[in-house]
């Protein structure tokens, strides 16, 4: 199996922990209309070095991607691609639990950046992540949610459900998304007292606000993106 240089992050941590040549792929029965080569699968999964990426087609309407790596993950990381009613593809990103020694290194952020850019290139318009709690601050409050505090900085967002908006003070009810709510001090203070689990989305189309915010994040962290 021959690999090109993948579109991954080439800062120091990325050079140490991301090497596509060391990642093995196993592919079973993928739909013909979503052409995924080995490099695409590695980039889309965000798999770090020495991982095994297993991809299985499900009835022509879904693809299950499992990334196994006992060095870094407490459990295998999964990504599910599904075909919508309009025949476009979207991906559900399942929560990643890194082992304790790797939780402060930014590996999950790098994995997501790889996934988002690969999705954009492959025409997978929407990424989703369900049921995660977003802290209002940029400091993680527990190891359980390590990494999730950066979701907004990485470009994720979530629509505020009616049950949340109905509880907002009148001055904050113009906010439609959690990102809009957290733009001001009043919104951040309210959210700190009234946190909620949210269904996150990421618009992976070229030039989207989500992609712009992801680029701003990687630039601020001096993370170089290999294009």
């Amino acid at each position: 199996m021959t690999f090109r240089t993948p579109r991954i992050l080439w800062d120091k941590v990325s050079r140490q922990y991301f090497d596509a040549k060391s990642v093995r792929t196993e592919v079973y029965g993928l739909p013909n209309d979503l052409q995924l080569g080995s490099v695409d699968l590695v980039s889309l999964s965000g798999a770090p070095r020495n991982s095994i990426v297993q991809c299985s087609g499900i009835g022509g309407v879904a693809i299950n991607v499992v990334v196994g790596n006992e060095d870094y993950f407490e459990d295998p990381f999964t990504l599910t691609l599904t075909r919508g009613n309009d025949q476009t593809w979207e991906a559900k990103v399942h929560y990643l639990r890194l082992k304790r020694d790797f939780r402060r290194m930014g590996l999950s952020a790098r994995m997501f950046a790889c996934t988002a850019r690969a999705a954009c290139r492959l025409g997978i318009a929407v990424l989703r992540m369900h049921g995660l709690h977003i802290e209002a601050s940029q400091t993680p409050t527990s190891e359980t949610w390590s990494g999730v505090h950066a979701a907004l900085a990485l470009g994720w967002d979530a629509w505020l459900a009616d049950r949340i908006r109905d509880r907002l003070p009148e001055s904050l009810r113009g906010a439609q998304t959690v990102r809009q709510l957290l733009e001001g001090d009043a919104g951040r203070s309210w959210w700190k007292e009234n946190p909620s689990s949210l269904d996150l989305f990421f618009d992976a189309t070229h030039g989207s606000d989500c992609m712009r915010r992801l680029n701003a994040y990687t630039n601020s962290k001096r993370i170089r993106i290999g294009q």
Side-chain angles (χ1 to χ4, degrees):
M1 186 176 298
T2 302
F3 284 95
R4 303 188 308 273
T5 301
R7 298 177 180 184
I8 64 174
L9 313 181
W10 287 111
D11 61 305
K12 181 179 179 180
V13 173
S14 298
R15 289 196 302 270
Q16 183 175 356
Y17 291 98
F18 291 84
D19 178 9
K21 295 188 294 296
S22 72
V23 176
R24 182 157 57 95
T25 57
E26 298 176 356
V27 182
Y28 310 95
L30 299 188
N32 293 329
D33 61 333
L34 189 63
Q35 299 295 326
L36 296 176
S38 297
V39 174
D40 298 322
L41 294 171
V42 172
S43 297
L44 187 61
S45 69
R49 66 183 306 144
N50 300 325
S51 297
I52 299 176
V53 179
Q54 297 176 312
C55 302
S56 303
I58 305 173
V61 296
I63 300 171
N64 196 44
V65 181
V66 180
V67 184
N69 194 314
E70 294 183 354
D71 292 335
Y72 309 136
F73 305 158
E74 289 191 354
D75 301 293
F77 168 66
T78 58
L79 175 77
T80 305
L81 298 171
T82 56
R83 193 201 307 268
N85 293 333
D86 60 357
Q87 299 303 303
T88 61
W89 290 87
E90 65 177 47
K92 180 180 178 181
V93 179
H94 300 268
Y95 183 54
L96 170 66
R97 280 188 60 83
L98 292 168
K99 289 187 174 181
R100 184 182 302 274
D101 291 344
F102 300 99
R103 292 178 186 172
R104 305 293 179 181
M105 299 177 59
L107 294 186
S108 58
R110 287 165 172 78
M111 288 179 65
F112 175 69
C114 293
T115 296
R117 283 181 162 73
C120 181
R121 177 168 51 85
L122 294 168
I124 300 170
V126 180
L127 307 175
R128 300 190 187 278
M129 187 161 44
H130 298 303
L132 290 187
H133 178 92
I134 301 177
E135 299 295 338
S137 72
Q138 289 299 299
T139 302
T141 58
S142 69
E143 290 184 354
T144 300
W145 300 107
S146 179
V148 179
H149 68 286
L152 294 180
L154 285 167
W156 289 97
D157 208 343
W159 296 104
L160 291 172
D162 289 342
R163 60 180 173 79
I164 297 176
R165 298 186 71 240
D166 288 345
R167 295 165 56 199
L168 290 172
E170 190 67 31
S171 61
L172 296 175
R173 289 191 179 177
Q176 301 294 317
T177 69
V178 66
R179 184 181 67 84
Q180 292 172 356
L181 178 63
L182 299 184
E183 285 179 344
D185 291 340
R188 287 192 292 271
S189 296
W190 186 90
W191 185 260
K192 186 176 181 179
E193 299 298 325
N194 301 272
S196 177
S197 294
L198 298 167
D199 292 341
L200 302 174
F201 68 85
F202 185 96
D203 181 352
T205 57
H206 182 71
S208 70
D209 180 63
C210 294
M211 291 296 291
R212 287 195 297 270
R213 285 186 284 128
L214 177 63
N215 291 337
Y217 176 87
T218 55
N219 289 338
S220 70
K221 298 295 183 181
R222 299 178 183 269
I223 295 173
R224 295 177 56 206
I225 307 296
Q227 296 293 0

